[in-house]
Amino acid sequence: MQRLYRKRIILGVGGGIAAYKSAELVRRLRDQGADVRVVMTRGGREFITALTLQALSGHPVHQDLLDPAAEAAMGHIELARWADLVLIAPATADLMARLAQGVADDLLTTLVLATDAPVALAPAMNQAMWRDPATVANAALLQQRGIRLFGPAAGSQACGDVGPGRMLEPDQLAQAAADCFASGLLTGRHVLITAGPTQENIDPVRYITNHSSGKMGFALAEAAAEAGARVTLVSGPVHLRTPDRVERIDVVSARDMLAACEAAMPCDILIAAAAVADYRPEVVAEQKIKKDPQSGDGMLLRMVRNPDILATLSARADRPFSVGFAAETENLLEYATRKLVDKNLDLIIANDVANPSIGFNSEENAVSIIDRARQVTRLGQASKGHIARQLVAFIADRFHKA
Ligand code: C5P
């Protein structure tokens, strides 16, 4: 099982002798399925070459904050948003001190300030430096702010000392990175998720559908599974790989989707991320409809309403905690709030699909979550994976309080 499948990891390489293990770490992260971009500090470049890490990660190494060419390709803010996890290995005493101070004088420290993704450090230094009160205080401060520390281990050191301060082995770091995505917030819960578009047949060769890649729903399924839930993902036609530990049921039409969801009930939490076709042709022609010379340039197709899957399930006696999506091109919060009420939801997640850099087929999203008290929580633009994990954490929190 690839525990980091499609996770986007920034590997920060600081200036310590353990940097020679960063090369192996890139391999281990990629073995687990991660997409790795390396950022090196000036010190890191003294210990291992950028070329080595470029060859192993398959991407140019990011080195300077003030490099116009690099900024034009993927600037520091884009890189900060791109990441699902920032892992710094090795993290030297100096780097930890700078991070504790909130210094942003190079690319790596700037990224740490700019990212919403979790940040983890693998400290690596001489045992006396690790025990020094300044380092102890910095480590405590960083942890208080939510930065995770992986290790260090104790043992023999490059300088000949024996004690704490050895960087964890690449294998252990890759496993610790994977554990960051396993939150356990929904252990033992059943989460039902709809995703993708539905297709409504007109005749054997034609259909009506909606724009939807399914990426957001699949990312939610993955995040819910990582949080320990049993996940049923009912998906319309999409070209996506089923996330690990997720039971996927493929459907085509809205009515199929409703039937599959009803069969999967009961569930604790329903997240309706599918772009369901609101209407379907009243009759599906058995044979391909021919162009009719009598009707000139036009053709009339009578459509009927499809069932509302979300509203149907949230009206049941065994009603789950119900979460809907509102993809709107205008009056986002107003329309979304109306849907929250009309469909009897606990939460609605609004996204502005008029903005081409988020929503539909893009890799990123930015959303607002509205609750029954009309309180709005915004999640800034980030990868759909990162947004999904934030959403699952939010939903789990509200579910447990409900
Ligand atoms: O009404 P609208 O389609 O904008 O509502 C969006 C929300 O309702 C989404 O969560 C979508 O998955 C869900 N929905 C549904 N069944 C429908 C239409 C929408 O579950 N027929």
Side-chain angles (χ1 to χ4, degrees):
M1 183 174 83
Q2 287 192 307
R3 295 187 65 213
L4 289 168
Y5 179 73
R6 292 189 61 191
K7 293 290 181 305
R8 298 152 151 197
I9 298 183
I10 290 180
L11 174 62
V13 178
I17 181 59
Y20 81 93
K21 293 188 188 172
S22 305
E24 182 67 16
L25 177 55
V26 174
R27 293 290 298 272
R28 295 287 84 84
L29 294 171
R30 292 194 69 193
D31 287 349
Q32 293 290 334
D35 186 359
V36 182
R37 304 286 165 110
V38 178
V39 176
M40 301 181 83
T41 65
R42 204 158 40 82
R45 300 202 290 272
E46 302 290 334
F47 287 92
I48 181 168
T49 71
L51 194 61
T52 303
L53 295 172
Q54 170 173 322
L56 293 171
S57 67
H59 297 286
V61 168
H62 301 263
Q63 309 188 31
D64 295 309
L65 183 58
L66 304 174
D67 175 347
E71 281 291 299
M74 199 193 228
H76 63 282
I77 298 294
E78 269 171 287
L79 204 52
R81 281 185 189 147
W82 174 87
D84 292 320
L85 171 71
V86 178
L87 168 60
I88 302 183
T92 59
D94 172 66
L95 197 45
M96 288 177 64
R98 290 194 292 133
L99 292 173
Q101 290 288 313
V103 168
D105 63 353
D106 65 6
L107 180 58
L108 186 55
T109 50
T110 304
L111 275 174
V112 170
L113 288 189
T115 193
D116 282 335
V119 177
L121 309 180
M125 65 196 74
N126 166 270
Q127 52 86 21
M129 292 172 77
W130 174 251
R131 286 196 241 252
D132 188 275
T135 308
V136 171
N138 289 334
L141 184 59
L142 291 166
Q143 282 179 299
Q144 254 173 42
R145 292 192 197 133
I147 292 184
R148 295 158 216 230
L149 296 190
F150 296 165
S156 66
Q157 303 203 300
C159 51
D161 281 6
V162 177
R166 272 173 63 92
M167 189 166 86
L168 293 187
E169 295 305 321
D171 253 337
Q172 294 172 299
L173 289 176
Q175 293 305 332
D179 290 343
C180 286
F181 297 101
S183 66
L185 289 169
L186 292 173
T187 303
R189 302 297 180 171
H190 180 205
V191 178
L192 174 60
I193 298 176
T194 67
T198 65
Q199 283 178 4
E200 311 297 331
N201 284 343
I202 298 171
D203 67 20
V205 296
R206 304 184 180 94
Y207 57 80
I208 289 176
T209 191
N210 283 336
H211 283 298
S212 172
S213 62
K215 282 177 194 158
M216 197 62 230
F218 275 59
L220 283 162
E222 182 167 11
E226 279 167 4
R230 173 166 79 83
V231 181
T232 308
L233 174 62
V234 179
S235 177
V238 295
H239 301 281
L240 294 172
R241 173 186 179 276
T242 311
D244 275 335
R245 293 163 288 169
V246 167
E247 188 196 346
R248 170 172 172 178
I249 301 167
D250 285 318
V251 296
V252 176
S253 71
R255 287 187 298 175
D256 296 344
M257 188 174 267
L258 176 60
C261 287
E262 284 175 330
M265 289 287 284
C267 67
D268 297 292
I269 298 174
L270 165 68
I271 308 176
V276 183
D278 290 319
Y279 295 89
R280 65 177 183 279
E282 186 173 33
V283 283
V284 181
E286 273 178 31
Q287 304 298 332
K288 183 178 172 187
I289 301 171
K290 306 307 289 178
K291 287 185 271 296
D292 178 5
Q294 307 283 304
S295 61
D297 288 339
M299 174 195 172
L300 275 178
L301 192 62
R302 196 180 140 69
M303 310 278 282
V304 292
R305 277 298 284 269
N306 263 329
D308 190 306
I309 297 160
L310 178 54
T312 306
L313 298 180
S314 77
R316 283 170 57 126
D318 59 355
R319 178 182 183 281
F321 184 90
S322 303
V323 183
F325 269 78
E328 304 290 344
T329 53
E330 55 176 1
N331 304 334
L332 181 61
L333 297 183
E334 184 196 329
Y335 288 161
T337 308
R338 204 176 295 166
K339 279 175 197 172
L340 175 88
V341 175
D342 291 350
K343 299 188 192 221
N344 185 27
L345 307 180
D346 295 282
L347 298 172
I348 192 141
I349 300 160
N351 65 333
D352 174 4
V353 290
N355 177 349
S357 68
I358 56 176
F360 289 148
N361 282 311
S362 79
E363 292 299 325
E364 300 205 332
N365 206 350
V367 300
S368 298
I369 311 168
I370 309 171
D371 65 14
R372 281 178 182 260
R374 311 278 197 276
Q375 227 172 29
V376 181
T377 307
R378 286 175 212 283
L379 303 183
Q381 187 166 342
S383 73
K384 286 186 173 171
H386 185 55
I387 294 275
R389 278 190 294 282
Q390 288 179 287
L391 283 175
V392 164
F394 190 97
I395 292 167
D397 180 58
R398 293 304 180 93
F399 165 75
H400 289 300
K401 284 184 185 148

